[in-house]
Amino acid sequence: MSAYIIPIIFLVVLLLSFIKRKEPYGGFIDGAKTAVDLTINVFPYLLAIMVAVEAFRVSGASAYLANAIAPALHKVGLPKELAELIFIRPVSGAGSLAILDNIYSTYGADSYIGRCASVIYGSSETVFYVSTIYFSQSKVKNLRYAIPVALVSTFVGCIVGCKLLRYF
C-alpha cells in the first residue's frame, strides 16, 4: 500500500490542477523558487544555532549543567539518569538521539529509565531549532514569552509522561 501513496498524491495534485485550470508545472516551479529563497533566508539562523549547540555540547557545559539539575529532577520524581536528555532535547535533536542511544545501551530500552527516555525523546521538540526557523520567517521579533513557555511545557510534559509510565 505504501508504494502507491506517492503516485496517488501525484495524480490527485494533477487532477486538482486540471479541475482548477492551473498549470501544474508552473506551480511546481514557483514552489521550488520559494523553497530556494526560504533556504537562503533561513540558513544563517540555522548555522548560528547549530554552531552554538555543538559548542555547548562539546565543551562539556551540557553535561555539567545536567549534573547540576539532577537533584531537582529527583525531587519531582524523574530519574537523575535522564538529566542530560531532558537538558539537551530542547537544544539538539542529534545530541539527544546520542544520549538516548547511550541510555538504551546502559539501562535497556524496556527499563523504566529507557521507557522514560523514549517518552521524553518522542514527545518533546528541539525548541531552539523550531523557534529559529519560525521566528526567522515571521514578523514577530519580541520573543519574551515564547521560548520560556515552550521550555516549561516541555519540562512539565517530561514529568507527566514519566509519572504516567509508573502506571502502565
Side-chain angles (χ1 to χ4, degrees), residues 33-90:
K33 284 180 187 176
T34 303
V36 169
D37 290 342
L38 176 67
T39 302
I40 290 169
N41 290 335
V42 170
F43 182 74
Y45 298 99
L46 284 176
L47 182 62
I49 195 74
M50 285 184 203
V51 168
V53 165
E54 194 59 26
F56 184 66
R57 268 190 56 239
V58 171
S59 71
S62 67
Y64 175 77
L65 289 173
N67 287 335
I69 66 167
L73 292 179
H74 182 70
K75 288 185 186 210
V76 295
L78 293 176
K80 66 179 180 175
E81 294 84 0
L82 300 173
E84 192 170 13
L85 179 63
I86 291 170
F87 193 73
I88 290 295
R89 182 63 180 141

Side-chain angles (χ1 to χ4, degrees), residues 90-113:
V91 179
S92 170
S96 57
L97 185 59
I99 293 168
L100 179 68
D101 182 52
N102 185 35
I103 289 171
Y104 286 165
S105 298
T106 306
Y107 303 101
D110 290 333
S111 68
Y112 175 69
I113 292 172

